[in-house]
Amino acid sequence: MSTTALQSVWEMLLSYDLSAANKRWLADHLYEQAKMEEAQPYTIEELNARIDCAEADIAEGRILSRAEASKRMQNYLNK
């Protein structure tokens, strides 16, 4: 979108009698949308590297049972 078009949108928004809460709501939603659009998904190489690491952890026994993971989580939450 061109600067001129963005300026028109800005001026249109300013023409409304928006409260500070309305402006904050708009800003928050625009910011969250922009963050989601900028987020980069993992590449195939990154995904494969993560899988390789997980498989190595399993092969070398660096894993927790479901019961042990649950117990640790409960202990963490109860602190």
Side-chain angles (χ1 to χ4, degrees), residues 9 13 23 39 52 59-60 69 73 77:
V9 170
L13 287 172
K23 291 174 184 175
D52 291 343
E60 296 179 24
M73 185 56 74
L77 294 173

Side-chain angles (χ1 to χ4, degrees), residues 55-75:
E55 289 174 342
D57 286 343
I58 292 167
E60 296 179 24
R62 294 187 303 252
I63 59 172
L64 296 175
S65 68
R66 181 181 302 177
E68 181 61 26
S70 179
K71 180 180 171 184
R72 287 187 184 193
M73 185 56 74
Q74 282 300 335
N75 288 340

Side-chain angles (χ1 to χ4, degrees), residues 17-24:
D17 187 25
L18 298 174
S19 67
N22 293 148
K23 291 174 184 175
R24 196 171 298 111

Side-chain angles (χ1 to χ4, degrees), residues 30-48:
L30 284 170
Y31 179 76
E32 287 303 316
Q33 184 69 33
K35 254 180 35 177
M36 288 189 322
E37 290 173 9
E38 291 172 346
Q40 297 294 317
Y42 288 111
T43 64
I44 294 297
E45 292 80 16
E46 291 170 324
L47 291 171
N48 286 331

